[in-house]
Amino acid sequence: MHHNNSIRILAGNSHPELAQSVSERLNVPLVPCTVKKFSNGETNVKISESVRDEDVFIIQSGCNDANDNLMELLILISACKTASARRITAVIPSFPYARMDKKDKSRAPITAKLVANMLVVAGCDHVITMDLHASQIQGFFDIPVDNLFSEPLMLSYIKRSISGWKNGIIVSPDAGGAKRVTAIADKLGVEFALIHRKRDGKALDAPERMEILVGDVKDKVAILVDDMIDTGATLALATRTLHEKGAKSIHALVTHGLLSSINLSMVERLPLEHLVVTNTIPQNKNKNGCSKLTVIDISPTIAESIRRTHNGESISLLFGEWAESGNVEVL
C-alpha cells in the first residue's frame, strides 16, 4: 500500500532517549515541538511543523511523573487533532494506571478505563503499548489497541545470556502471572513454578511470606518473570524464597522497571545474578546505581510496529519470524 502521507513522530518529555532511538531506526526525524510548563504548572505545547493529513505517532511512556506525562500526551493528541492530522497513534510503552483495572475493593476507581476514555476524547485513533498489566485493558477502548509483547526479547535473552537455562525453571512471583510463565516455559521446553504470597495471620502488618504452589526449584536455574517491578518487595521475597528452596542460581526478568522508590542497594545484596528490565521506562539513572541491572532495548520493536502500522502490515507477525530472527540489544 502506498500512502501519500508520511510518518510524523512527536515525543513528550517522558522518554526522550527512546523517541530519539525510534526516530533513528525509522530514519524519520522527530517533529520539532516544545512541551513546557507555565509558571502555574499548566502544560504548554508548541508543534513547529505541519502535521496536516499526516500519520502521527506520539511517543510517551507512563512513568515517574505519570500525571504530568499523561496530561502532556493528551494535549499533544488534542493539538494534532485540531491541526488536522489524518490519524493519531499514541505509543505508550508503559501504560499509566494499568494496575487499576478492576474494582477489587469497594469504591475503588477503575482508573485504566478513565485513561482510555481520556485518550479517545482527546482525539486518539489507535494505541500501541507493551505488556499491559492485564490484557483486558484493550477492551476498555473502542479504538484499536496493539499490545506488543516483550516475550520474544526475553526468550532471546534467556537463550543467549543465561548459562544453564536448559536446566532452568520459569517462576512467577504470583498466581496472576501464570499465563506469562507457562508460555515462556513451553517455548523453552522447561518446567515452570508458581509462588504465592501470603500474610502470616490477619493483621495488616503481619509478616509476609511466600510459598511455592507448583514446581520444584531445587538445583535449578530459577528465572523469575514478571511484568512490573516497583518497590522491589515482591522481587526480594521471591528471590529469598527460591534461595531457601535450593535454587542453583536466580535471575529476574521484568518488563517495566518502575523502580521508583526501590532501594537498588537492596537488589545488590539479594542472592540474585541479574535483574533484567526493558527501557519502556528510562533506566539511565538506575544503571549507574546497580551492577546487577541489565537493560534490554525495546526501540527496535516499537519502531517496527510503527512502520507496520503506517504501511498497513500485520502487527501480529512482529512476534513470529521477525522477533525470532532479531538479536536482543542490551543497553
Side-chain angles (χ1 to χ4, degrees), residues 5 40-41 45 65 88 93 112 138-139 146-147 162 170 174 184 186 192-193 213 216 232 241 257 280 291 317 320 326:
N5 62 343
N40 67 351
V45 161
D65 305 314
I88 301 166
Q138 292 170 91
D146 286 307
N147 181 25
I162 298 182
I170 313 295
D174 60 49
I184 292 180
D186 283 350
F192 69 90
L213 292 182
D216 179 12
T241 305
T280 53
S291 65
L317 291 173

Side-chain angles (χ1 to χ4, degrees), residues 18 47 82 165 208 274:
L18 183 70
I47 301 169
T82 49
W165 65 267
E208 284 194 303
H274 286 290

Side-chain angles (χ1 to χ4, degrees), residues 239-316:
T239 304
R240 291 193 190 107
T241 305
L242 293 171
H243 189 63
E244 281 159 21
K245 294 283 188 277
K248 189 169 162 190
S249 67
I250 305 166
H251 307 258
L253 278 70
V254 186
T255 310
H256 304 299
L258 299 169
L259 298 170
S260 36
S261 59
I262 187 171
N263 178 352
L264 284 167
S265 60
M266 183 236 354
V267 173
E268 289 282 1
R269 287 197 304 272
L270 285 174
L272 185 71
E273 306 287 316
H274 286 290
L275 167 58
V276 181
V277 297
T278 72
N279 61 341
T280 53
I281 292 165
Q283 298 296 335
N284 7 12
K285 286 195 192 75
N286 299 328
K287 279 226 305 284
N288 311 333
C290 182
S291 65
K292 291 184 178 180
L293 191 69
T294 301
V295 182
I296 292 177
D297 186 13
I298 57 151
S299 62
T301 308
I302 299 281
E304 181 65 4
S305 71
I306 290 175
R307 191 192 65 74
R308 287 177 183 233
T309 299
H310 178 68
N311 294 335
E313 297 170 26
S314 160
I315 295 255
S316 63

